[in-house]
Amino acid sequence: MKKTIWITGAGSGIGEALALAYNHTEHTIILSGRNKTQLESVSKNILNPYILPIDVTQENQITKAVATIKSTFGNVDILINNAGVSQRATVSETTNDVGRNLMEVNFFGSVHLTKAILPMMKKANKGSIVAISSAAGKFGFPLRSYYSASKHALHGFYESLSLELKDTQIHTMLVCPGRIRTDISKNALTGSGKSHNQMDQGQLNGIPVEKCASKIIQGISSKKAELYIGGNEILLIYIKRYFPFLFRLIAKRVNPK
Ligand SMILES: NC(=O)c1ccc[n+]([C@@H]2O[C@H](COP(=O)([O-])OP(=O)(O)OC[C@H]3O[C@@H](n4cnc5c(N)ncnc54)[C@H](OP(=O)(O)O)[C@@H]3O)[C@@H](O)[C@H]2O)c1
C-alpha cells in the first residue's frame, strides 16, 4: 500500500538504513536532517525521495516543514523521529549548554515534530509515530548522563501520548537500540560540545544497521508499543527491571566506549 514516510536523521546510520529498507516505487520517503548534501547523497538510491532539510531544534523550521508536507502530501503515514546525538563525557566535564543541547535534539526535537504532525494524523485518524530512544533510555550509563536522561524523557512523553490516543487509530512506538554499527560515537559530543570523533569499540561490535532497520519496520507493521534491538547488551534492560542490584554490579564493569 502506498505510504508517505518521514524520517529525521535520514542522512546517515539508522535513518539512512530505514530509508533504503522502505525504498519502493509506491512509497514516498521524506528525508530530513541538517546536512543537505548528505540527504542528497542518500536520495540517489531512493525511488521517490523528497528532501526536506531541517534542524529539529528549530521550532520555526519544524512549523515550515510540516506546512510544506501538508500542502504537498496532505498527511504522512509514518513519522520516524530518529535524529539524535550521543554524549561521551562525564557529568562534571559536560557544560550546561552541551547538556541542554542534547535535550533539545533528542527530546524536544522529537516531541515538537510529533506535536506538529499530530493534527494531520488525528484528522485522518491513522498513522504511526516512532521515537528512536535507546537502551540508555531504560538505564543510566557512564559518559551518557544527559543522553540517557533525554532518552528516558522520551518514554514518559510517548507513553503518555499513546494512552491519550487510545481511542484513535494512531500508533506510537518507542525503539530502544543497544549497540548498532553506525557513526554515532564519532558524532557524539564531548563535554565542551566538540565531536568525540572516535569509532568506539562497543559501536564497532554493534549489530549491522540494516538488521536494526528491518526490525524497526517489522515493529511498525505489527504495531508494537516498544521494541528492543541489539546484542547481549539488551539483557541489561531486563536485568535492571528484575534485578536492579545485579544491574549495578554489571554496568560498573562494562566499558562505556
Ligand atoms: N547507533 C546506536 O548504537 C544507537 C543506539 C541507541 C540509539 N540510537 C539512536 O538512533 C538514532 C540514530 O543514530 P545513528 O546511530 O544512526 O547515528 P548517526 O549516524 O550519528 O545519526 C544521527 C542523525 O541525526 C541527525 N541529526 C543530529 N542532530 C540533528 C538536528 N539538530 N536536526 C536534525 N537532524 C539531526 C544527523 O544528521 P545531520 O548531522 O545532518 O543533522 C544524523 O543523520 C539516534 O536517535 C540515536 O540516539 C543509536
Side-chain angles (χ1 to χ4, degrees):
M1 211 174 54
K2 194 174 159 23
K3 284 193 178 357
T4 304
I5 301 152
W6 188 5
I7 305 168
T8 66
S12 63
I14 296 173
E16 176 181 10
L18 281 165
L20 294 173
Y22 265 125
N23 190 21
H24 189 279
T25 43
E26 288 203 322
H27 299 334
T28 300
I29 321 271
I30 304 164
L31 307 164
S32 284
R34 292 167 303 179
N35 187 328
K36 194 174 173 205
T37 312
Q38 250 172 273
L39 299 175
E40 281 167 351
S41 155
V42 173
S43 77
K44 290 190 181 125
N45 297 312
I46 305 289
L47 292 163
N48 298 312
Y50 188 89
I51 297 173
L52 192 57
I54 53 163
D55 180 336
V56 295
T57 65
Q58 303 302 309
E59 282 185 66
N60 59 339
Q61 292 187 26
I62 289 181
T63 309
K64 238 171 102 182
V66 169
T68 303
I69 282 178
K70 193 174 179 185
S71 59
T72 314
F73 304 104
N75 194 9
V76 294
D77 297 289
I78 302 171
L79 166 64
I80 307 182
N81 286 293
N82 167 72
V85 61
S86 194
Q87 176 192 11
R88 291 295 183 277
T90 63
V91 169
S92 304
E93 287 162 354
T94 308
T95 66
N96 292 348
D97 281 347
V98 170
R100 205 170 277 118
N101 183 31
L102 286 161
M103 288 301 290
E104 288 291 343
V105 181
N106 297 337
F107 178 68
F108 287 111
S110 174
V111 161
H112 290 157
L113 197 51
T114 290
K115 276 186 79 177
I117 211 78
L118 257 184
M120 272 190 257
M121 284 197 179
K122 279 187 172 169
K123 196 167 170 212
N125 193 26
K126 63 172 185 164
S128 277
I129 300 174
V130 179
I132 306 295
S133 171
S134 169
K138 294 300 230 177
F139 52 75
F141 205 59
L143 313 185
R144 311 281 198 284
S145 52
Y146 286 93
Y147 178 72
S148 175
S150 68
K151 297 294 191 180
H152 273 74
L154 288 175
H155 287 257
F157 180 86
Y158 282 98
E159 199 163 278
S160 305
L161 177 65
S162 81
L163 295 171
E164 289 177 10
L165 293 173
K166 67 180 169 41
D167 296 325
T168 75
Q169 296 303 311
I170 303 168
H171 157 241
T172 69
M173 179 170 84
L174 279 150
V175 181
C176 301
R179 282 174 160 162
I180 316 298
R181 208 176 311 137
T182 70
D183 282 348
I184 193 165
S185 70
K186 287 190 186 169
N187 299 332
L189 300 182
T190 63
S192 62
K194 292 196 187 116
S195 289
H196 175 58
N197 231 350
Q198 285 173 41
M199 177 56 92
D200 287 351
Q201 198 55 42
Q203 225 57 63
L204 205 55
N205 295 336
I207 67 161
V209 71
E210 296 79 13
K211 194 170 168 185
C212 174
S214 144
K215 285 190 182 283
I216 293 172
I217 290 173
Q218 280 170 31
I220 295 170
S221 301
S222 51
K223 295 196 186 311
K224 286 252 167 66
E226 201 163 283
L227 199 59
Y228 307 149
I229 305 169
N232 286 340
E233 68 280 5
I234 292 302
L235 288 174
L236 279 176
I237 296 177
Y238 297 100
I239 294 173
K240 163 82 193 280
R241 186 179 304 161
Y242 299 113
F243 311 102
F245 176 73
L246 187 59
F247 165 79
R248 288 183 59 77
L249 283 181
I250 298 171
K252 279 182 199 169
R253 286 161 201 230
V254 178
N255 179 358
K257 287 195 176 165

